[in-house]
Amino acid sequence: MHAYIFSRVSRIRMGALWRKGWKVLGPRSCVIRGFAVEHQSFSVREKKDGITELNLAPADSLWTTARDGAVRLRMEVAGPASEPPVTTISMFQDAVQSFGNRPAMAVKRDGQWQTTTYFQYYRQCWAAAKSFLKLGLERFHGVGILGFNSPEWFIADIGAIMAGGFPVGIYNTSSSDACLYVAKNSASNILVVEDHQQLEKILQIEEQLPHLKAIVQYRHELKEKRPNLYTWEEFMRIGSDVPDSIVDDIIASQKANQCCMMAYTSGTTGAPKAVMLSHDNITWLVKMYGKDTGMQEQEIGVSYLPLSHVAPQFFDLWMPMCFGGTTYFAKPDALKGSLVDTLKEVRPTQFFGVPRIWEKIKATLETTISSSSFVQKPVSAWEHGTGPAARLSHVNGTSSQPWGSPLADSLVLKKLHANVGLDRCLRCQTSSAPILKDTLEYFSALNLPILEVYGLSESSGPHTVSIPSDFRLTSCGKTVSGCKTKIYMPDKNGNGEICYGGRDVFMGYLNMAEKTIEALDEEGWLHTGDIGKFDQDGFLYITGRIKEIVITAGGENIPPVPIEDRLKKEVPIISNCMLIGDKRKFLSMLITLKCTIDPITLEPKDELTPEAIKFCQQLGSQSTRVSEVVCSKDPLIYKAIQEGLDRVNHRAVSRAQKVQKWIILEKDFTQEGGELAVLPHTLSPFLPLGPTMKLKRPAILSMYEKVINELYKQ
């Protein structure tokens, strides 16, 4: 290692070092030979005497597909990207030292909130690490975690890292085959499951997992005792005789430019890909994002989105750890109705929700307003008076008071905010799918602006961010400090592919060199596949997606998402719609209606949702089922859809962008049905709710080929 370690450097000495080929890295007193900057990456550990020591891990490339590989960090000489890299466990140790007696987590059990301090949290992760080692976890192998968010999920995650393995989240509703793929691909030695329902999935595939050594169930008692199957209590005790020095040595050997965790993509165009994130990817981005958004100590969040994805891990696990916050775990039925109850109890200071969640919160607020005269009259006056001006101020990102009277603000707005548990929320955030502009305007008018963020699993989390003092409606914000964003091959309007650069860009896809090279160009830029542009103030707007462009027979390029979103906004009974027209003479549309979802199978039912039934009743229709609408071609519903489509067509920029035919399908799109999947390259998690997911367009074209061909018959 060619390094020079010192605490102070004079300008003369620094100049001499530069002439000899040395480089000074960042604001700290540390230098390293230029060759090392180009061909090595390193972690940094601060010594007690103030001297900074560099521990290098050999790395010749910005990417790797090897589980035990290392990458060259994208560090810079000065600025945010020059921050010394640290491992996640080092960040955790700093948190324990700074916030040891503060609550790190809280979960409600037997009607009471049970809290865990940072000191207790660390000790439990340490015990889990020893138990993983006792059960045979090998270095750079996976620990699969299958279940709803809980303290045990966090402890298994961090414990796996401490023991030298990788935490690998598996989505709750994954089939046995999906679990098999992830567990096998990640070479998971141990699988941690929530309950017997999840355990059964693993037992069906156990014999096909050559690396599997043990299974741990973290909720409820085991229904049947089996070899290598443990309860959580048994698991936490089993490693007690493992020497602490073994865990110490593993932690000391970890480098910030090595893999820390894996997150699996949805596999919309093939097998799921394991996104490898380094320690530095996580710790550096958390720090930068926290600074940009004004994170304070002791902030509070609610964990309810699937932890198998990068976003909830970023916001629920790593961000609080960096800033000494507390994560409250929602109930397992949060997405079925209990989330608002938890929010009202916890009153978070920050809250991240996908668009569908904000739509549900909006519905709750509308119900409150309509049923309370105390709220209804002032809000009505507000909507017809001060409201529009306030909306405009929020569109422009200003922070002017939306109400003319502080008394009205405190008595009415605070009451509304409290009704959904957001009365002390400093940052309401969203991502993962386009959110309707009127939803953004609605919350802005109520002084609860929703801030859009944008990022990929491959960018370790958010790459652009909106903050309360600097945002624009429909924009996903500005680039996080130290990160880089460029528009590749922009057209005359400034639209082009969005590309990412910086220390948040992932290491590579596990064992998939070809896919990694497709994502990263020769200069290390990550190509997102999303189309966007910057405005004059540096705000980024997403305007489409490369693979979703429809090219008609006449050669016109048409982005389908804006048209689909406009129709859903115009006709609220529509759940999903997909524009058809690639290589066709005109555009058509497949439409599905909002229906209830079976909570067990997640399959769509025939019954319309209460929202959809209300829409029907407002039109004078008595339909309550999808089949009733489709079989009778309910004239009132069909007329409403056509009128909505007429309004969308009226806004079309050309005749080629007008939809000429459409059909209502007999059932909604779902992931289980093969029509929906997680948005590729998004940081936000999958939810079993159509509007928050990406259409698997090639699959839908194949599945509904006969229906589509009927639309194009002369």
Side-chain angles (χ1 to χ4, degrees), residues 30 44 124 149 165 300 429 512 561 566 577 593 596 599 605 608 708:
C30 59
V44 179
Q124 290 178 40
N149 311 16
I300 293 173
Q429 299 169 311
M512 290 186 175
V561 175
R566 286 177 198 141
C577 53
L593 304 182
T596 58
K605 294 184 178 180
L608 294 171
I708 294 169

Side-chain angles (χ1 to χ4, degrees), residues 358 362 365-366 379 382-383 386-396 402-403 413 430 435-452 471-475 569:
W358 288 112
K362 178 173 178 277
L365 288 170
E366 289 174 335
V379 169
W382 155 252
E383 286 292 330
T386 317
R391 285 198 183 100
L392 182 60
S393 74
H394 281 296
V395 167
N396 294 326
W403 285 62
L413 285 184
T430 191
I435 186 169
L436 297 176
K437 186 177 180 181
D438 64 349
T439 301
L440 296 173
E441 290 177 340
Y442 181 88
F443 282 95
S444 289
L446 297 180
N447 203 22
L448 274 177
I450 299 175
L451 308 172
E452 293 195 68
F471 73 97
R472 300 288 185 272
L473 292 188
T474 72
S475 166
K569 179 180 178 181

